[in-house]
Amino acid sequence: MAGRLYIPVRSSQLQYYIRVPLFFETAPGVYQLYKSPGMGISDVRIRQAMHPRLYIQQNDRMAAAAEVQKGFNREIARSIETGDVTSVKASLCSLVAETLAEPRAGMLQSLPQTMEVLVSGYSKQPGLLRMFATISNKDYSTVIHSVNVMALTLGYCFHSGVSLRETRRLGLSALLHDVGKSEIPSDILQAPRKLTDKEFEIMKAHPSIGSRIIKEINRLGEDIALGALEHHEKLDGSGYPKGMLNISFSGQIIGIIDCYEALTNEDRPYRRAMDPLETLNIIKSDVEAGKFDRTLFEKFCYSLL
Ligand SMILES: [Fe+2]
Ligand SMILES: [Fe+2]
């Protein structure tokens, strides 16, 4: 069986592989079937790690991503039903971590279904949403930031009476707004200081990269890409990448929420995380300077109450 390409599977995902066959390496570059399609691996085996390092075949990559995502979706739906908001967030963070690690590997394509599960779950239990973005996270990262921005965006949508269809669309756009950071070098993303001008120039490419990645997935539609492309634009033209004056609705709302989320949650060595009121006051001065839309900002404030 040598010669074909095999990709290692994360052990945290093993439980989801039913239809996709798994393989193990018997000698360097030689792989043998571990489980056939249709079989699962028992929980005990997974929990006690009673298995060798497992692999999927390169050809099964898309099917594997779809199967893993379905598993995540089932778990998220179950946790919403039982009101276990911490588990919902943990599952969603793993899913987004996978997607951001390799946006083209297939996970991105099934995210609309995940959003459907979230929006329908939350419209039944809106109280959960409020807790979602405030659960503290030890390791603040693009993943957690993206999930928080999505939760705040869904909160805004439910509060402002946005249709469910539009809510799903905006939620997805918010979840993916920083997907372009997957192509920014991690020493820039994680720099424990303010970025140099040169580094900031590189960082400024993430909206265009993100929009390009999203557009490559034709199921997602061009409008989802707008949130990624325009979330750093400002109404007075001082934003990036284009310095445009006419910004889409999703670019504007995700832009405000992105600022709010980063300022309230991101503790950097050179800047502490701020409390919500302090943050809203900072954004308010940006509204007064003509950078953000006043009505949108006010609606967002009310959605936090
Ligand atoms: Fe961004
Ligand atoms: Fe962001």
Side-chain angles (χ1 to χ4, degrees):
M1 282 222 172
R4 274 192 242 172
L5 280 171
Y6 292 82
I7 306 166
V9 169
R10 280 175 207 248
S11 47
S12 58
Q13 298 181 352
L14 280 178
Q15 52 189 316
Y16 302 129
Y17 288 97
I18 308 289
R19 270 190 278 167
V20 174
L22 294 174
F23 297 82
F24 68 108
E25 201 172 19
T26 51
V30 183
Y31 295 84
Q32 228 173 50
L33 187 67
Y34 180 77
K35 76 152 203 77
S36 10
M39 274 176 60
I41 307 176
S42 80
D43 282 354
V44 182
R45 219 166 247 271
I46 294 175
R47 231 178 298 128
Q48 300 184 356
M50 290 159 58
H51 55 76
R53 177 129 213 234
L54 294 169
Y55 297 79
I56 54 164
Q57 282 180 331
Q58 169 87 24
N59 303 347
D60 285 332
R61 203 175 192 194
M62 287 297 176
E67 192 155 44
V68 167
Q69 186 132 24
K70 264 197 200 121
F72 272 122
N73 287 351
R74 271 197 308 275
E75 222 160 75
I76 290 171
R78 210 177 310 130
S79 307
I80 291 179
E81 229 157 73
T82 55
D84 186 353
V85 73
T86 313
S87 298
V88 178
K89 190 157 185 181
S91 302
L92 197 58
C93 284
S94 323
L95 186 61
V96 175
E98 294 293 316
T99 312
L100 290 183
E102 241 186 309
R104 293 178 177 86
M107 298 293 247
L108 237 161
Q109 320 216 355
S110 320
L111 274 185
Q113 275 125 280
T114 309
M115 199 50 64
E116 184 126 20
V117 170
L118 281 171
V119 170
S120 69
Y122 281 126
S123 47
K124 282 176 220 142
Q125 307 205 48
L128 288 185
L129 196 60
R130 194 169 300 281
M131 294 147 63
F132 204 95
T134 55
I135 295 176
S136 63
N137 302 285
K138 275 190 270 112
D139 307 303
Y140 188 78
S141 63
T142 304
V143 171
I144 290 157
H145 166 68
S146 305
V147 169
N148 286 346
V149 170
M150 178 218 71
L152 291 165
T153 303
L154 293 183
Y156 168 88
C157 290
F158 284 128
H159 185 270
S160 316
V162 173
S163 73
L164 284 183
R165 191 174 166 275
E166 180 76 355
T167 299
R168 284 196 290 269
R169 205 185 64 79
L170 281 170
L172 198 53
S173 198
L175 192 58
L176 295 173
H177 77 279
D178 273 338
V179 72
K181 285 191 179 170
S182 59
E183 289 184 15
I184 303 292
S186 54
D187 54 325
I188 294 186
L189 284 181
Q190 285 152 16
R193 51 174 168 77
K194 269 200 158 133
L195 296 181
T196 63
D197 288 351
K198 207 171 152 207
E199 287 168 333
F200 190 52
E201 279 311 309
I202 298 172
M203 183 67 142
K204 274 177 165 173
H206 81 272
S208 320
I209 298 172
S211 156
R212 202 182 62 227
I213 293 174
I214 296 170
K215 280 186 190 160
E216 281 171 20
I217 316 288
N218 38 24
R219 279 185 60 184
L220 291 182
E222 196 131 322
D223 50 343
I224 304 290
L226 281 179
L229 183 64
E230 299 178 1
H231 72 278
H232 288 292
E233 296 287 1
K234 300 278 156 41
L235 290 171
D236 62 355
S238 64
Y240 63 87
K242 293 186 182 153
M244 63 202 307
L245 297 167
N246 292 317
I247 310 167
S248 64
F249 176 71
S250 49
Q252 289 191 53
I253 188 64
I254 295 170
I256 292 175
I257 294 175
D258 177 55
C259 260
Y260 175 82
E261 204 289 326
L263 290 173
T264 47
N265 287 313
E266 190 178 19
D267 228 343
R268 303 301 296 263
Y270 59 89
R271 171 178 71 65
R272 69 193 161 80
M274 285 183 247
D275 72 58
L277 209 61
E278 201 181 353
T279 307
L280 289 175
N281 268 321
I282 289 179
I283 302 179
K284 193 169 157 236
S285 54
D286 280 346
V287 169
E288 264 137 33
K291 294 180 191 295
F292 293 123
D293 180 81
R294 183 175 300 274
T295 316
L296 268 184
F297 170 69
E298 284 171 359
K299 275 191 183 174
F300 170 60
C301 292
Y302 285 123
S303 79
L304 293 171
L305 296 175

